């Protein structure tokens, strides 16, 4: 998987972030939107974004929602509701804003197959032996993206960045 050390993820595209240091670079806890707020704003986006000098929206709660659903229901919900909301956000801001999903448990839940760059989400108990294929569901197997976010050379992955979901 390609890596990115540039800060473009802080201003453009969609990211799934699990590193607290990286999160602190774009905003504060009081600026984070709930997944419910995000879903309700779909199609009626604010002119001013809450974080990173009006460049970024950080959303928390995606992991909790995925954990409450069966893997099949979670995959269907991601493919319809969440993908539609992400596409709506991208279109409204014409790709000139960053959407970041805060996933504090992401480092242990999002995995990438090094041979294929396929990205998956490990489901929670009682489905912990199942995975949701993020790549197929959210970005249609475009393996040139996502890219692994690194804050500095030699650092562990802070998240995943995708410039434009289609």
């Amino acid at each position: 998987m390609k890596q990115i050390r540039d800060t473009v993820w802080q201003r453009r595209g969609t990211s799934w972030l699990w590193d607290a240091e990286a999160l602190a670079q774009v905003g504060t806890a009081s600026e984070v939107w709930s997944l419910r707020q995000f879903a309700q704003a779909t199609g009626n986006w604010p002119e001013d974004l809450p974080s990173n000098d009006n460049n970024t929206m950080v959303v928390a709660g995606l992991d909790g929602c995925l954990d409450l659903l069966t893997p099949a229901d979670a995959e269907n919900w991601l493919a319809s509701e969440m993908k539609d909301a992400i596409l709506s956000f991208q279109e409204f801001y014409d790709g000139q804003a960053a959407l970041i999903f805060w996933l504090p448990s992401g480092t242990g839940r999002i995995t990438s197959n090094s041979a294929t760059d396929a990205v998956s989400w490990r489901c929670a108990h009682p489905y912990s032996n199942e995975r949701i294929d993020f790549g197929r569901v959210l970005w249609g197997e475009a393996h040139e993206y996502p890219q692994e976010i690194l804050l500095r050379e030699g650092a562990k992955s802070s998240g995943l960045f995708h410039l434009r979901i289609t």
Side-chain angles (χ1 to χ4, degrees):
M1 178 175 291
K2 293 181 181 178
Q3 299 176 335
I4 184 169
R5 286 182 287 282
D6 188 305
T7 60
V8 67
W9 64 270
Q10 297 175 6
R11 300 175 307 282
R12 307 283 181 271
T14 304
S15 297
W16 294 265
L17 203 63
W18 49 78
D19 180 78
E21 181 184 350
L23 180 64
Q25 291 181 9
V26 293
T28 63
S30 64
E31 297 167 344
V32 175
W33 279 33
S34 70
L35 190 62
R36 180 184 195 125
Q37 287 173 292
F38 173 72
Q40 289 175 335
T42 301
N44 191 27
W45 301 107
E47 289 298 323
D48 296 323
L49 292 173
S51 299
N52 195 27
D53 295 326
N54 196 36
N55 286 307
T56 307
M57 177 181 288
V58 179
V59 178
L62 178 63
D63 50 349
C65 286
L66 293 175
D67 288 349
L68 291 172
L69 298 168
T70 65
D73 288 344
E75 189 171 297
N76 289 333
W77 176 73
L78 276 173
S80 59
E81 303 298 320
M82 289 310 301
K83 186 167 183 178
D84 287 349
I86 293 168
L87 292 172
S88 172
F89 180 92
Q90 283 181 171
E91 183 179 325
F92 183 83
Y93 296 104
D94 195 29
Q96 301 302 305
L99 174 60
I100 297 174
F101 290 98
W102 171 237
L103 302 170
S105 66
T107 190
R109 308 280 300 277
I110 291 185
T111 59
S112 173
N113 180 317
S114 58
T116 64
D117 283 342
V119 175
S120 63
W121 172 265
R122 185 177 46 83
C123 298
H125 182 75
Y127 306 104
S128 53
N129 61 339
E130 296 186 49
R131 297 188 178 279
I132 298 169
D133 186 349
F134 261 37
R136 182 180 51 75
V137 173
L138 290 175
W139 52 82
E141 299 292 345
H143 293 307
E144 66 274 7
Y145 288 110
Q147 298 176 48
E148 217 175 11
I149 299 168
L150 300 179
L151 297 183
R152 61 192 143 279
E153 187 70 36
K156 289 193 288 185
S157 174
S158 296
L160 297 176
F161 165 72
H162 200 299
L163 185 59
R164 188 160 186 86
I165 303 280
T166 56

